[in-house]
């Protein structure tokens, strides 16, 4: 199945408890998606909604704070409609009445002990839910068509393999499934061979300059304290934020004067910038590409090769 096993829904005030749950679920072998700082949905709402729909199970952490959160209620409602709701009570509270008839794991006061009987029961329920969804998806998948005959002499050479990028910062976490103890670990690419997301300026006096993005929440603007400074009159002092999440670039406009565009469409919320697309900041056009680190000439940190003044 595509997507992650578990989407973790919680109130922002319960972030510390949510972290304990996320880390423990990863240790149990699940892949987990959770948003540690933008849970209100004010900017990354479309991305969060897509991750919610793609997840196999949705773990909702009920507390007095999450009960009062309309975003948590909405996520729980969508999960319930798709029969993938797996709620857990982390603090005594009165759940919304429509969820009172849904069984919820009693984990109030649980602090990460994976041997706790309550936790083992909860994990068992999650594994059954995830496995049932996998079986259903496999049964619904169409049988693959027989491969066409290919003349070996005319077979094209396989494309060069691309090493996976590291995930974004702790603020937007997509935790990959951990390998089981008997699995053979995949070799790790040397740091010098890893790939990086790059933005290259297409035209004007800054043409040819290269910006590398390796962290979440890098601000681009005309002057400091922006993390990436583009000294151009059409760029606002604080123009946009570039974030890296799950090997994708997310762009958010910061109410810039001349606008932020993805492939000539002005954006007003967090938007994915596909590889090969053009990001336009005012009058500056930047093309998104992925390059080996050695070609990007970076030293491992998120940096730019743009002069502070010209």
């Amino acid at each position: 199945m595509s997507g992650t096993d578990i989407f973790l829904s919680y109130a922002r005030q319960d972030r510390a408890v949510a972290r304990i749950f996320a880390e423990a679920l990863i240790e149990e072998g699940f892949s987990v998606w959770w948003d540690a700082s933008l849970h209100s949905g004010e900017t990354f709402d479309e991305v969060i909604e897509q991750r919610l729909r793609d997840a196999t199970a949705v773990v909702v952490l009920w507390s007095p704070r999450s009960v009062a959160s309309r975003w948590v209620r909405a996520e729980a409602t969508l999960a319930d409609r798709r029969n993938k709701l797996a709620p857990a009570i982390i603090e005594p509270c009165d759940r919304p009445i429509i969820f009172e008839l849904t069984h919820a794991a009693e984990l109030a006061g649980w602090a990460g002990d994976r041997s706790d009987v309550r936790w083992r029961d909860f994990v068992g329920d999650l594994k059954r839910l995830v496995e049932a969804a996998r079986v259903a998806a496999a049964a619904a998948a169409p049988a693959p068509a027989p491969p066409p005959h290919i003349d070996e002499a005319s077979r094209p050479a396989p494309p060069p393999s691309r090493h996976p990028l590291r995930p974004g910062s702790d603020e937007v976490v997509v935790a990959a499934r951990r390998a089981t103890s008997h699995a053979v670990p995949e070799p790790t690419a040397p740091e010098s061979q890893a790939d990086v997301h790059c933005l290259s300026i297409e035209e004007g006096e800054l043409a040819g300059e290269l910006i590398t993005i390796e962290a979440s929440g890098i601000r681009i603007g005309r002057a400091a304290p922006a993390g990436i400074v583009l000294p151009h009159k059409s760029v606002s002092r604080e123009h946009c934020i570039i974030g890296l999440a799950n090997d994708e670039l997310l762009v958010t406009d910061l109410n810039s004067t001349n606008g932020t565009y993805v492939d000539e469409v002005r954006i007003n919320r967090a938007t994915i910038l596909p590889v090969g697309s053009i990001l336009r900041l005012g009058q500056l056009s930047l093309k998104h590409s992925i390059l080996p680190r050695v070609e990007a000439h970076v030293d491992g940190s998120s940096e730019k090769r743009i002069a502070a003044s010209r």
Side-chain angles (χ1 to χ4, degrees):
M1 290 181 60
S2 61
T4 53
D5 294 330
I6 295 174
F7 178 99
L8 191 59
S9 175
Y10 66 99
R12 182 183 302 185
Q13 300 92 326
D14 296 326
R15 176 182 174 184
V17 177
R19 179 185 296 277
I20 294 174
F21 271 78
E23 293 176 349
L25 289 169
I26 294 168
E27 292 292 337
E28 296 289 349
F30 297 105
S31 58
V32 181
W33 194 95
W34 69 306
D35 180 345
S37 67
L38 299 171
H39 192 77
S40 65
E42 293 175 353
T43 54
F44 285 1
D45 52 337
E46 288 186 349
V47 177
I48 290 175
E49 182 178 354
Q50 186 61 48
R51 301 301 182 190
L52 177 64
R53 293 180 183 276
D54 289 344
T56 304
V58 177
V59 172
V60 176
L61 304 183
W62 287 124
S63 71
R65 277 79 55 192
S66 62
V67 165
S69 169
R70 64 191 182 97
W71 293 104
V72 175
R73 285 172 177 253
E75 291 165 356
T77 299
L78 180 58
D80 190 46
R81 288 176 183 170
R82 294 173 176 262
N83 296 317
K84 56 184 180 180
L85 177 63
I89 298 174
I90 61 173
E91 192 173 326
C93 60
D94 293 326
R95 286 178 288 161
I97 190 169
I98 62 172
F99 299 115
E100 284 293 340
L101 298 179
T102 303
H103 170 72
E106 290 285 351
L107 288 168
W110 182 75
D113 181 7
R114 292 172 54 202
S115 65
D116 190 311
V117 174
R118 299 175 300 165
W119 174 255
R120 299 313 320 162
D121 290 342
F122 183 51
V123 169
D125 291 340
L126 287 175
K127 288 184 176 180
R128 285 188 288 272
L129 180 59
V130 170
E131 185 59 30
R134 286 178 178 158
V135 171
H149 174 72
I150 299 177
D151 184 0
E152 292 297 328
S154 62
R155 183 189 295 272
S161 60
R162 174 175 165 249
H163 301 296
L165 303 184
R166 294 173 294 180
S169 73
D170 181 61
E171 297 306 306
V172 183
V173 179
V174 180
R177 178 186 298 278
R178 298 201 172 182
T180 56
S181 58
H182 60 274
V184 178
E186 295 183 358
T188 302
E191 186 71 13
S192 61
Q193 298 180 14
D195 294 341
V196 289
H197 287 272
C198 298
L199 297 174
S200 56
I201 300 180
E202 294 289 281
E203 55 190 15
E205 62 178 5
L206 300 178
E209 298 290 358
L210 187 70
I211 301 170
T212 61
I213 306 295
E214 295 189 87
S216 181
I218 299 296
R219 290 176 179 261
I220 296 181
R222 189 178 64 251
I228 296 175
V229 176
L230 299 178
H232 193 278
K233 62 183 180 180
S234 68
V235 177
S236 296
R237 183 179 180 84
E238 290 191 342
H239 200 103
C240 68
I241 292 178
I242 305 287
L244 176 58
N246 196 27
D247 202 5
E248 294 177 324
L249 286 190
L250 297 174
V251 184
T252 305
D253 185 70
L254 295 176
N255 296 319
S256 61
T257 301
N258 295 314
T260 300
Y261 298 78
V262 172
D263 291 331
E264 296 307 318
V265 177
R266 187 164 185 167
I267 65 173
N268 54 19
R269 62 182 65 191
T271 301
I272 293 176
L273 179 65
V275 176
S277 291
I278 300 297
L279 172 66
R280 182 158 65 83
L281 311 179
Q283 299 174 9
L284 286 183
S285 295
L286 304 92
K287 185 173 183 179
H288 178 200
S289 61
I290 291 178
L291 298 174
R293 184 185 303 278
V294 65
E295 293 184 20
H297 303 295
V298 297
D299 60 6
S301 62
S302 293
E303 63 175 6
K304 60 180 177 58
R305 293 191 293 145
I306 304 292
S309 61
R310 287 200 172 219

